[in-house]
């Protein structure tokens, strides 16, 4: 994968770097502070384990807009400290990374269903997942193409996984999610001692005097693994625009910063439009095929964005055109795991 980076002339991360280590530390601290603020402000909006519910739809829309405006406002700092050309590169890079982050978003949706992550715990998983993604992408950005090559094979494995998942999601409905029968959990239990059930939002728990990982540990592990896969795809794309590592990192960080609000925005849409579960299945299959074809045709981000937006639009229109029957025969509710009527959990 990183041959795309090298071919684009971006094989020398750090070129054009004008920011001191203090700016890097300050910016990183700001991003982490914003993530913590998001977690604290919305810690109760998903309810409790006894009374789970998705955050208010209006709130997710407002916060999604806020994070986007905050990212665009950062363009002013780039323009003042670096120049107009660099500001243009940042905006272009942010749009690319924001578009590609939608892949993460829909994969996280199915992962949460796959592991039956309670709604009251989903924001915390996203918080740790985004922190992990920022750290991993920083490492990829600073180390460069050699490290990307090390993990490049993973993109094909997960491409196949997503294609199978998308097909099974489209052809199976009303499947009850059972974490105990999850094949990934069974595999992880052979390596890490793990409990059968969640313990609220804890990653580890104590049972019979033994410290065990909860299924949330497995969910976080899969989220982190997919972060690596998506970094393989997104980092070369932005290095084709700019070689300045600070701009690359900033665009990635801001793209990930608003991912939590977007996730719950999609969750709200899935509750409102019953045909969106089929749209989600198509999007997962599309992302998987895109991964498998990456060495044949590296799809431009705008094409991926167009397909995703068009799919969501068609699914929403179909839901309005053919409303769900009161007895539930008109379609599948398609809501994320933990809301009652969950997205069917694919079996692999």
């Amino acid at each position: 994968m990183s041959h795309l980076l090298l071919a684009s002339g971006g094989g020398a991360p750090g070129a054009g770097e004008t920011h001191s280590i203090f700016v890097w530390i300050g910016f990183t601290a700001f991003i982490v502070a914003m993530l913590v603020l998001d977690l604290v402000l919305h810690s109760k909006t998903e309810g409790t384990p006894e009374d789970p519910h998705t955050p208010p739809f209006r709130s997710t829309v407002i916060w999604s807009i806020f994070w986007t405006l905050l990212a665009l406002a950062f363009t002013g700092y780039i323009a003042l400290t670096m120049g107009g050309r660099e500001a243009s590169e940042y905006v272009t890079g942010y749009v690319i990374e924001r578009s590609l982050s939608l892949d993460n978003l829909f994969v996280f949706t199915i992962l949460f269903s796959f592991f039956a992550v309670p709604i009251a715990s989903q924001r915390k998983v996203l918080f740790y997942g985004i922190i992990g993604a920022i750290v991993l992408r920083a490492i990829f950005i600073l180390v460069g193409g050699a490290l990307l090559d090390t993990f490049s094979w993973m993109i094909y494995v997960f491409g196949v996984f997503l294609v199978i998942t998308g097909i099974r999601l489209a052809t199976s409905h009303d499947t009850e999610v059972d974490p105990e029968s999850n094949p990934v959990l069974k595999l992880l239990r052979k390596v890490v001692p793990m409990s059968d059930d969640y313990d609220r939002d804890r990653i580890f728990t104590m049972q019979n005097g033994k410290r065990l990982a909860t299924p949330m540990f497995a969910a976080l592990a899969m989220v982190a693994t997919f972060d690596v896969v998506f970094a393989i795809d997104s980092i070369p794309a932005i290095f084709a625009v700019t070689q300045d590592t600070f701009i690359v990192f900033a665009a990635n960080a801001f793209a990930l910063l608003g991912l939590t609000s977007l996730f719950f925005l999609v969750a709200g849409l899935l509750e409102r439009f019953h045909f969106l579960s089929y749209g989600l299945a198509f999007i997962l299959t599309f992302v998987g095929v895109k991964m498998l074809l990456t060495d044949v045709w590296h799809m431009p981000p705008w094409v991926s964005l167009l397909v995703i937006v068009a799919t969501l639009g068609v699914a929403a229109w179909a839901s309005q055109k053919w409303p769900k029957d009161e007895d539930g025969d008109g379609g599948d509710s398609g809501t994320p795991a933990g809301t009652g009527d969950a997205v069917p959990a694919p079996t692999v």
Side-chain angles (χ1 to χ4, degrees):
M1 292 302 301
S2 61
H3 66 278
L4 295 172
L5 166 64
L6 299 175
S8 70
E17 181 64 63
T18 59
H19 293 273
S20 70
I21 187 64
F22 299 105
V23 173
W24 278 83
I25 293 174
F27 177 76
T28 303
F30 171 76
I31 293 296
V32 172
M34 291 297 99
L35 285 170
V36 172
L37 177 66
D38 183 61
L39 179 66
V40 172
L41 289 178
H42 303 286
S43 60
K44 301 300 182 183
T45 58
E46 289 83 49
T48 64
E50 295 76 23
D51 181 29
H53 56 79
T54 55
F57 184 76
R58 182 171 179 270
S59 174
T60 61
V61 172
I62 293 174
W63 277 99
S64 295
I65 294 173
F66 169 78
W67 294 123
T68 301
L69 292 177
L70 182 65
L72 294 177
F74 191 72
T75 308
Y77 170 81
I78 298 294
L80 290 174
T81 59
M82 302 178 69
R85 179 178 64 84
E86 288 78 6
S88 177
E89 290 175 351
Y90 164 75
V91 172
T92 303
Y94 171 74
V95 172
I96 290 174
E97 295 301 320
R98 190 66 160 174
S99 301
L100 293 175
S101 70
L102 292 177
D103 292 353
N104 305 50
L105 184 70
F106 292 105
V107 171
F108 290 169
T109 300
I110 201 63
L111 283 179
F112 283 179
S113 176
F114 191 70
F115 290 103
V117 179
I119 283 185
S121 303
Q122 289 180 4
R123 187 176 293 274
K124 192 170 184 178
V125 175
L126 285 170
F127 171 79
Y128 286 124
I130 291 173
I131 289 289
I134 291 175
V135 172
L136 286 169
R137 291 179 186 231
I139 294 173
F140 277 124
I141 290 168
L142 295 174
V143 175
L147 189 59
L148 288 171
D149 274 337
T150 303
F151 296 98
S152 61
W153 60 270
M154 293 174 61
I155 201 166
Y156 301 106
V157 175
F158 284 92
V160 172
F161 173 81
L162 289 180
V163 170
I164 295 174
T165 298
I167 293 173
R168 296 203 176 205
L169 179 58
T171 56
S172 61
H173 300 282
D174 300 322
T175 303
E176 184 177 352
V177 179
D178 181 12
E180 190 170 348
S181 64
N182 187 298
V184 177
L185 288 180
K186 290 181 179 179
L187 180 61
L188 280 175
R189 284 195 182 104
K190 296 180 180 179
V191 182
V192 181
M194 189 175 299
S195 64
D196 294 331
D197 302 310
Y198 284 92
D199 184 4
R200 295 183 178 272
D201 58 0
R202 295 172 182 169
I203 300 175
F204 295 95
T205 186
M206 294 294 295
Q207 289 187 0
N208 299 322
K210 295 182 179 180
R211 188 175 180 82
L212 303 175
T214 68
M216 185 173 290
F217 175 85
L220 280 169
M222 287 297 292
V223 167
T225 305
F226 267 100
D227 283 337
V228 173
V229 174
F230 287 121
I232 293 170
D233 186 51
S234 65
I235 299 301
I238 191 172
F239 265 117
V241 175
T242 178
Q243 297 180 29
D244 191 295
T245 52
F246 182 78
I247 293 178
V248 174
F249 180 69
N252 271 271
F254 273 114
L256 293 170
L257 187 59
L259 206 57
T260 301
S261 295
L262 272 179
F263 174 85
F264 287 108
L265 175 60
V266 170
L269 290 173
L270 284 169
E271 287 183 334
R272 290 163 179 254
F273 303 109
H274 59 272
F275 277 118
L276 276 183
S277 61
Y278 294 99
L280 173 61
F282 176 80
I283 290 171
L284 290 173
T285 305
F286 166 75
V287 173
V289 171
K290 184 175 70 170
M291 287 180 172
L292 294 175
L293 296 178
T294 189
D295 280 334
V296 178
W297 178 48
H298 196 71
M299 186 179 297
W302 68 266
V303 175
S304 179
L305 178 62
L306 182 62
V307 170
I308 291 174
V309 171
T311 301
L312 294 177
V314 170
W317 172 81
S319 298
Q320 294 294 313
K321 182 72 174 178
W322 295 283
K324 184 178 180 180
D325 297 336
E326 291 185 2
D327 59 3
D329 295 333
D332 175 48
S333 64
T335 55
T339 59
D341 297 319
V343 173
T347 56
V348 293

